[in-house]
Amino acid sequence: MTQSEQLFQQARQVIPGGVNSPVRAFRAVGGNPVFIKSAKGAYLHDEDGNRYIELINSWGPMILGHAHELVEKAVSDAIQHSFSFGAPTRREVEMAELIVSMVPSIEKVRMVNSGTEATMSAIRVARGFTGRDKIIKFEGCYHGHGDSFLIAAGSGAVTMGVPDSPGVTKGVAQDTLTAPYNDLEAVRRLAEANKGQIAAIILEAVAGNMGLVLPAEGFIEGLRALCDAEGIVLIFDEVMTGFRLSASGFQGITNVKPDLTTLGKIIGGGMPVGAYGGRDDIMNCVSPAGPVYQAGTLSGNPIAMAAGYAMLSHLKDHPEVYTTLEATGTRLEAGLRAANAKAGKHYTINRIGSMYTLFFNEGPVTDFETAKASDLKLFGAYFQAMLKRGIYLAPSQFESLFLSTALTPEHVDAILAAHEQSLAEILA
Ligand SMILES: *Cc1c(COP(=O)(O)O)cnc(C)c1O
């Protein structure tokens, strides 16, 4: 028995399903999850001494690769001064100023401890601000595990077979309306049928949690116009795309500005951090400036702020990070397409910058329905074939992969070689 097998057996005795977040259990791809011992740069090392080239990067945060010296140093400096105070600190002010300077639509920001907290809080504020109850979300978009969002949710919720989780009350579910991603007409119909009742439209402006799906031309613009006309708060959930697609997130590469933005993942540099922010008048509803309550014992934690600040200030000062990531993404995508074509397959690859998904489906993949048309059995076999060859992919078809600046052209070529062999193996 391997160390990973042994640990998983132990874990299942004391942790539900053996993991602290469902996707980690490998249920969608079969086999035993790999237990990670350490990571540096582009590599993960498991408990059995295997090394993997890494394409998850902690689901996004490790955009500079693992254990980057800058973040390590910031954290080790910060821990000299105690781990938490529960009182305001200089670091929080500097962090807020940095975020406001990087994301133009954010005028005020509140730090929390996860993406889930950020999205839960953002819709509460939108409801408080508008005095309305309902929200619109999109099928296959994932906004963390808050009750309001576990309706047609993406990510782990897809492969668990319980997209609508037990424990979410009918009352809560009734206030969440859903539309297919990229279907502006469906959203217009919902808004018309629920006139004056919709507090917010929340979306992953680039969807990463049903696999990567890009917004169709005019989709985001149409939502903006609808929200303006109907007094609806437009929320971009940029927990995944924030600081990844540009130093100001997806909104840095489109003309559309949301009213509120939720952030997570990269913002903590690997520490548990989230944030929500946006228009001054909306954010002034948040307690103690306003009546909408939201709090956190460890929010703005000094160690987490140190890690996040080091990460974000580096990204702000080094625009070449995004050029490098684009070059890596281009090389990888071209190689994958060439290998697929050689195998006579024209699988869909959706990519933007350093995020991509290879769908086992000839596509196009433009929403949750078309994403689900993928051959999941083949994906599972592919995942295992790649893992065996030392490439660590997300253990589900319905996830995006994330590149880091630690990936060199040589790493990309190694990934491509493994891809070609894996395809040959699974299609044989
Ligand atoms: C990861 C993610 C979340 C949830 O963040 P957690 O930190 O896991 O709670 C919310 N929204 C999106 C778009 C995400 O990718």
Side-chain angles (χ1 to χ4, degrees):
M1 199 187 283
T2 65
Q3 289 293 311
S4 283
E5 283 163 354
Q6 171 66 41
L7 283 166
F8 194 45
Q9 209 170 72
Q10 281 173 246
R12 274 179 302 189
Q13 306 302 315
V14 285
I15 305 173
V19 291
N20 282 314
S21 196
V23 184
R24 297 179 197 169
F26 279 25
R27 292 268 177 107
V29 291
N32 195 89
V34 172
F35 279 65
I36 305 302
K37 190 167 189 177
S38 71
K40 181 75 186 168
Y43 293 109
L44 287 178
H45 302 271
D46 73 10
E47 289 281 350
D48 292 289
N50 301 306
R51 188 183 78 170
Y52 307 89
I53 298 177
E54 149 77 316
L55 288 168
I56 303 186
N57 284 295
S58 188
W59 305 96
M62 299 310 184
I63 190 168
L64 304 177
H66 284 277
H68 194 281
E69 304 73 46
L70 266 176
V71 181
E72 274 189 343
K73 180 167 187 322
V75 169
S76 58
D77 288 351
I79 59 176
Q80 316 294 323
H81 306 282
S82 185
F83 286 45
S84 179
F85 316 112
T89 60
R90 179 183 297 272
R91 286 184 198 281
E92 293 162 84
V93 184
E94 291 170 352
M95 183 68 162
E97 286 174 344
L98 182 60
I99 294 166
V100 167
S101 78
M102 292 175 78
V103 187
S105 70
I106 297 185
E107 295 171 344
K108 277 208 173 87
V109 62
R110 171 62 64 81
M111 303 307 303
V112 292
N113 305 291
S114 68
T116 293
E117 266 190 76
T119 55
M120 281 168 43
S121 308
I123 56 159
R124 185 181 302 140
V125 179
R127 284 168 164 158
F129 177 75
T130 57
R132 304 170 178 179
D133 288 345
K134 295 185 180 173
I135 61 163
I136 296 178
K137 79 173 281 288
F138 294 92
E139 291 160 16
C141 279
Y142 179 71
H143 304 293
H145 65 87
D147 284 2
S148 297
F149 302 117
L150 287 179
I151 321 288
S155 192
V158 185
T159 52
M160 288 297 117
V162 280
D164 304 321
S165 173
V168 175
T169 65
K170 286 196 196 71
V172 168
Q174 271 168 7
D175 284 332
T176 300
L177 311 174
T178 65
Y181 190 77
N182 275 329
D183 189 343
L184 194 52
E185 266 319 302
V187 184
R188 289 200 181 114
R189 282 196 299 275
L190 283 177
E192 191 54 41
N194 297 273
K195 217 171 176 49
Q197 301 175 60
I198 314 252
I201 296 178
I202 184 167
L203 81 160
E204 296 180 71
V206 166
N209 284 293
M210 50 181 132
L212 185 75
V213 177
L214 300 172
E217 212 182 307
F219 179 57
I220 308 282
E221 291 79 0
L223 293 177
R224 180 68 273 177
L226 180 68
C227 287
D228 288 341
E230 301 291 336
I232 297 169
V233 175
L234 180 62
I235 307 173
F236 281 5
D237 181 355
E238 294 225 47
V239 169
M240 201 176 254
T241 54
F243 314 108
R244 174 160 286 279
L245 296 183
S246 83
S248 37
F250 172 74
Q251 53 196 277
I253 55 177
T254 174
N255 292 325
V256 181
K257 274 198 174 61
D259 301 306
L260 292 179
T261 301
T262 55
L263 297 164
K265 299 191 169 109
I266 291 178
I267 202 175
M271 299 290 278
V273 180
Y276 65 102
R279 266 167 52 188
D280 200 57
D281 56 339
I282 302 178
M283 290 305 289
N284 282 336
C285 295
V286 179
S287 183
V292 176
Y293 195 71
Q294 186 272 309
T297 302
L298 295 174
S299 293
N301 173 269
I303 315 300
M305 291 303 98
Y309 189 90
M311 175 66 89
L312 297 196
S313 53
H314 180 81
L315 295 174
K316 184 182 180 187
D317 296 342
H318 294 84
E320 74 277 9
V321 162
Y322 298 98
T323 330
T324 306
L325 289 171
E326 176 62 32
T328 306
T330 303
R331 184 186 185 95
L332 186 57
E333 180 183 347
L336 292 172
R337 284 190 192 283
N340 294 353
K342 210 167 126 191
K345 299 290 178 188
H346 296 91
Y347 298 132
T348 298
I349 298 173
N350 286 348
R351 180 180 74 86
I352 179 168
S354 59
M355 296 171 69
Y356 79 98
T357 299
L358 161 65
F359 290 95
F360 283 87
N361 156 2
E362 300 207 342
V365 176
T366 57
D367 59 13
F368 195 29
E369 274 314 298
T370 46
K372 282 194 294 190
S374 300
D375 186 335
L376 302 183
K377 233 182 114 193
L378 203 59
F379 175 83
Y382 173 73
F383 172 87
Q384 298 293 351
M386 290 291 275
L387 190 68
K388 195 167 71 182
R389 292 173 174 81
I391 313 294
Y392 193 80
L393 305 174
S396 163
Q397 173 74 93
F398 304 110
E399 302 288 353
S400 176
L401 297 176
F402 301 98
L403 309 179
S404 80
T405 52
L407 284 174
T408 62
E410 290 70 33
H411 290 127
V412 172
D413 292 345
I415 295 166
L416 291 172
H419 173 76
E420 199 169 330
Q421 293 168 14
S422 297
L423 265 195
E425 179 186 314
I426 64 171
L427 295 173

